[in-house]
Amino acid sequence: MSETRLHLVAHVAGRGVLFDATQVDSVVDLPEIVPTPGAPATIRGLAALRSRVATVIETRRVLGLADDREAGRRGVVTMVDGHLYAVAVDTLEDVSTLAIAPTPAGMALDGGWSAVRGIADGDGETLMVLDLKRLIELAGEQTAEPAR
């Protein structure tokens, strides 16, 4: 059984992803990001957004994909537990009403992919619905890199 909802369509490392529009505050071009010493690799750093400090999530790392910090220059902004976050994505496509189907039984969703909450048929590709709150929780669960 599928459900139709409004979603933001984006891409991360060539993979189509969706974010429930009710979880999205805004979308931005990411400004200069200040690294945060001692933070896990899943946290790119801090950035000033709308006169507030936002934690920038390195989505490729959370999902276990090839890391390319030159990609991921756009951000999906959300508020979780009173904190502002920007989830880095490569491209932002559009907002669309799509029929969301449950994740197929037996589909391996390890690591960051455990944030997947369903799938949809996009323009010639399968899109994975990512729960922003869960993605941010997973980013925070990573182990910090040792100081160099």
Side-chain angles (χ1 to χ4, degrees), residues 8-135:
L8 174 65
V9 182
H11 282 86
V12 176
R15 290 166 174 85
V17 296
L18 297 172
F19 300 102
D20 186 326
T22 63
Q23 292 184 321
V24 177
D25 281 352
S26 63
V27 295
V28 297
D29 288 321
L30 291 174
E32 180 179 346
I33 299 168
V34 178
T36 49
T42 52
I43 305 295
R44 190 182 292 183
L46 302 174
L49 299 178
R50 297 175 280 181
S51 300
R52 296 197 54 200
V53 176
T55 302
V56 180
I57 304 299
E58 185 57 63
T59 310
R60 286 174 175 244
R61 288 262 179 131
V62 177
L63 297 175
L65 302 171
D67 189 17
D68 178 3
R69 291 185 185 231
E70 293 307 309
R73 290 298 194 189
R74 306 295 309 270
V76 177
V77 180
T78 190
M79 184 77 73
V80 175
D81 296 331
H83 299 283
L84 194 63
Y85 294 91
V87 174
V89 297
D90 300 339
T91 62
L92 292 164
E93 305 300 324
D94 203 352
V95 176
S96 184
T97 301
L98 297 164
I100 306 302
T103 307
M107 186 175 196
L109 296 173
D110 298 330
W113 292 104
S114 67
V116 172
R117 295 296 180 250
I119 61 170
D121 287 326
D123 188 22
E125 66 181 329
T126 298
L127 304 168
M128 303 270 197
V129 179
L130 294 177
D131 181 273
L132 281 168
K133 183 175 181 180
R134 181 67 182 138
L135 196 68

